[in-house]
Structures are given as C-alpha cells and as structure tokens.
Amino acid sequence: MTVPRVRTGLVSLLLVVTTVVWRRGDIFSGSLDPVVVSKGALSVLALGLAWLMVASRRSSSRRLGTGTLWVLVVLLTASLLGALGHGTLVATGVIVVRLVILTATVVLVLRVVPALQFLASIVWACAVVAAVAAVTGLPSSSGGRLFGGVPPLNPNELALLAGIVLLWTAWRTVLGEARWRNALVAGASLGVLWLTESRTALLTVLAGVAVMALQLRRARVGLVVGALVVGALGSLGAVLTGAVAGFLSRDGAGTSTLESRFIAWSAARSWAESAWQWAFGGGLSVKLIPVEGQWWNEQLLDSSWVSALVQAGLVGLGTCVGWALWVLRGVLRAPREHRVLFSGLVVFLLGRSVLESGLFDATPAFLCFIAVSLLVEGGSRSRVHAEAAAIPGHGVGLLVPPVAGPTRTPAPAH
C-alpha cells in the first residue's frame, strides 16, 4: 500500500473514531472532561495530517466546490444565534468547532485524493470500528440487542456503520466487480445489522440497495441465481425460526415504539417560547425536549429533522431540507460509477434520518453525507467525471480503488 493511501486510511480512521460515541447514554453539556479533550485532540491530529497531505501534493490539487460550505455556514450560524438566546452558547460552540474541524479535514483530503479512494477509506474505517465494537460487545449482548463493547456503540449507531459497509459491497456488485471477499464482508455486515435489531437501519439500507439495483445494466447469471438462492433460504429460515416476527416485536413493543417518537415530535411543535427561538432554535447541544402528560419529563429527539427545528429553528430546518434536495439533484448528475454508490448512501442516510438523529451533527452519518455533498455539487462535477473516466476499465478495487493521476480539466483548444 502506498504512503498516500496509508495517510488517507489513517485520517479516515481518526475521523470515524472521533465521530462515534465513547460513552453510552451520555449527552454533551459543554464541560471539558478527558473524553472530550481526547476526541478533540484526535480530531486536530486528523486535520494536521490532512494539511500535510495537501502541503506535500500541491501540484496535484483537485477541484472541489464550495457550495456545501456556505450551506453549512448558514446552518451553524443559525444554531449559534439560537444558542445565544437559549443560554447554551458554550456547549453549542464546542459542537460547532468539532463540525468545522471535521469538515475542514474532509475538504483537505478531497483536495488531493480521488473521491472513490477517500470513500473507500471511510468504509474501511467504518468496517474496522464496527468489527471491533461488535466482537467486544458480543459477550454482554447475548439474548438481546447487540451493543458495541469498545467503543460502546448503541445498536443504532453500530447498525449505521454496518449499513455503510453493506452498501459498499452492494455497489461493487452492481458494477460487476464483486468477489468472494465481498460476499464475506456483506454477510458479516448483514449479520451485525440483524443482531442490532435496528429496524430503521435495516429497512433504509434495503431501500438503498434497491436504488442501486435499479441501476444494474446487465445482471450476470451467477448473481441472479445467487440472489434467488439466498432469498429462498432466507425466507425459509425466517418462517421456520420466527426470526422476522421476533425482529419486528423486539422487547415486546413491536412497531409501537414510534409512539414515543411522536410524543417528542409533538412537543417540538410548541417548544419555542419566542420568535427568536422559532427562527434560530436553541443550539446544537439541545438533544432532549421537555414532554408533558407522561411519566417521564423529557425525551431524546429521535429525528434529525425534528432536531434541526429545535436546534436551529425554521432557518436551520429550511436550510437542511434545501441541502438534502440539492444533494439529491447532484447525485443524479454524477457519473454512473459514482452515482450508484452516492444514491445508495444518500437514500440510506436520509431515510434513516427520519427516525434517527445525528445527520447534522459530528457523527459518521454527517461524515458520509458531507463528503457526498462536496463531490456532487457543480464545482466538483468536472473533477468527478474526470476521475470516473480515468478508472481503468471503469472498475474498482475491493476497498481502495486505483489512484488516478492528477486531474485538471484541460483548457479548450484554440
């Protein structure tokens, strides 16, 4: 493996490690404890390594748009203004700084690394973290949902990492580049996803795979036969073991767990106490919302969109909605090699964000979303098309595709 790939892999691993939780059930309130300081130090280290990569390869700088950065500035500014009026400026300020460092690191790496190579390194980092967390969490999760051990990921966050890896293997399959190693990775990812019992993640990752499959030009006989065999065996196993019924009715609550989310969503509609809070929210550090008429007094905001309304107000929510639509538009204009992967990821991330929070926070979901956003905007489009044309045979490697040479749009001949 070349030095640039090692550096990219290290930076990506640091990015994923610093965006997953290190303490289960803990909500940041603004205090600087050893965990917060350690994550901050590793984030700065990743930023420094990314800057060194740019400094050593200025001659091969790749074009990257800035529209995504302006959208993010609007969102973060709205949250800071909301935090100023809500009294959470310090805690929100720390989260904003983390997001700025994370975004700056992604921008720097993408300035010198091909799009698919960077995304491959992110997938590799997600696979490593998910594998370690799942293996170390298995002994304490027997008979229940799979939690991460080290790091102590909750089931939904572990499912997010597994879903990203699974979508990567599905992308390889659609492009006709699947190998037996991909089947092993896909099987392990699906197993972790199933053991977490995260219904939202499973349904949305299947939706992402379906979107990818629709872009399949010509299915190989082996792929069709294999899919039919796996589907038949899976259906038979589900019927005989009752696994699907158990999955849908975990903890005896079934799909009624949506009712608790509706309670928080309903409370969010009347949460603001002033026009200022309606416009700008209460800051990114607001994760809990007061609820009435229940035996509990406050509840976690289990939706990235409801969180956007509470944390950044109508200005922030409108910005996020426009951002998502803008990214979807850019995905449709990407070259096929990239569009297949981007579409699956975006469907998964946006679908999951309806019932899960974290899309607009320092999380692995935000890391993937902002990377795709930067790559599909108009300012990056010529660079992505040039990279797609430079891929030998328009194929990709298992996790790290071939590195294309410096890509600059040639000047028109006169």
Side-chain angles (χ1 to χ4, degrees):
M1 183 177 291
T2 62
V3 174
R5 287 179 177 174
V6 172
R7 292 178 180 175
T8 304
L10 179 57
V11 171
S12 299
L13 184 59
L14 289 173
L15 288 175
V16 173
V17 167
T18 55
T19 52
V20 298
V21 298
W22 287 14
R23 290 179 299 202
R24 189 177 301 152
D26 181 68
I27 296 178
F28 178 66
S29 59
S31 59
L32 295 179
D33 53 50
V35 170
V36 175
V37 173
S38 298
K39 294 182 75 171
L42 291 178
S43 298
V44 173
L45 175 60
L47 178 61
L49 291 174
W51 182 84
L52 290 175
M53 291 174 62
V54 173
S56 62
R57 301 178 62 185
R58 290 188 183 276
S59 60
S60 58
S61 178
R62 299 168 185 269
R63 185 176 180 180
L64 196 65
T66 59
T68 297
L69 303 182
W70 289 108
V71 174
L72 186 61
V73 166
V74 174
L75 175 61
L76 297 184
T77 300
S79 69
L80 286 172
L81 291 174
L84 181 63
H86 190 59
T88 55
L89 186 60
V90 175
T92 296
V94 173
I95 297 176
V96 168
V97 170
R98 289 187 61 196
L99 285 171
V100 170
I101 293 176
L102 174 62
T103 303
T105 305
V106 173
V107 169
L108 289 175
V109 175
L110 287 176
R111 293 288 294 177
V112 294
V113 172
L116 295 182
Q117 181 183 338
F118 177 66
L119 289 175
S121 64
I122 292 295
V123 172
W124 170 81
C126 289
V128 171
V129 174
V132 174
V135 171
T136 55
L138 276 175
S140 59
S141 299
S142 57
R145 301 184 69 184
L146 176 62
F147 285 79
V150 180
L153 307 181
N154 62 58
N156 291 338
E157 193 171 22
L158 184 55
L160 167 65
L161 300 181
I164 292 172
V165 178
L166 184 60
L167 287 171
W168 178 272
T169 60
W171 169 65
R172 292 259 303 139
T173 302
V174 170
L175 292 187
E177 296 289 333
R179 300 292 184 269
W180 63 269
R181 292 171 295 181
N182 292 87
L184 293 178
V185 173
S189 301
L190 185 59
V192 170
L193 192 60
W194 183 267
L195 291 175
T196 63
E197 299 184 9
S198 177
R199 295 183 289 252
T200 300
L202 180 61
L203 292 176
T204 52
V205 80
L206 291 178
V209 172
V211 169
M212 289 180 168
L214 291 175
Q215 303 174 66
L216 185 65
R217 289 179 176 174
R218 184 177 59 186
R220 296 180 178 180
V221 176
L223 175 61
V224 175
V225 173
L228 292 175
V229 171
V230 171
L233 292 177
S235 300
L236 181 61
V239 171
L240 294 178
T241 63
V244 173
F247 185 87
L248 294 177
S249 61
R250 62 170 161 82
D251 297 335
T255 56
S256 63
T257 52
L258 284 175
E259 295 178 3
S260 63
R261 288 184 168 93
F262 290 152
I263 293 172
W265 298 356
S266 178
R269 294 183 298 177
S270 58
W271 175 81
E273 298 178 351
S274 64
W276 185 270
Q277 284 189 350
W278 269 117
F280 303 113
L284 292 177
S285 63
V286 179
K287 311 292 186 184
L288 300 171
I289 190 170
V291 295
E292 298 179 355
Q294 308 297 327
W295 58 268
W296 60 92
N297 298 322
E298 57 183 9
Q299 187 172 332
L300 189 67
L301 290 167
D302 280 321
S303 171
S304 296
W305 304 97
V306 177
S307 296
L309 174 61
V310 173
Q311 296 171 349
L314 293 173
V315 174
L317 178 60
T319 301
C320 291
V321 171
W323 190 4
L325 295 175
W326 184 51
V327 170
L328 287 171
R329 175 178 175 269
V331 168
L332 295 176
R333 298 189 173 192
R336 180 175 180 270
E337 287 77 8
H338 297 70
R339 185 180 66 249
V340 175
L341 176 61
F342 292 167
S343 60
L345 283 174
V346 170
V347 167
F348 173 55
L349 295 175
L350 292 182
R352 178 183 176 275
S353 68
V354 175
L355 298 177
E356 301 290 345
S357 57
L359 181 60
F360 306 108
D361 203 344
T363 63
F366 175 80
L367 172 62
C368 293
F369 184 72
I370 198 167
V372 173
S373 178
L374 286 165
L375 291 168
V376 300
E377 63 174 277
S380 308
R381 194 163 297 138
S382 61
R383 164 256 181 92
V384 174
H385 279 274
E387 290 179 4
I391 297 176
H394 291 262
V396 291
L398 173 63
L399 284 180
V400 181
V403 181
T407 57
R408 287 185 178 275
T409 304
H414 296 286

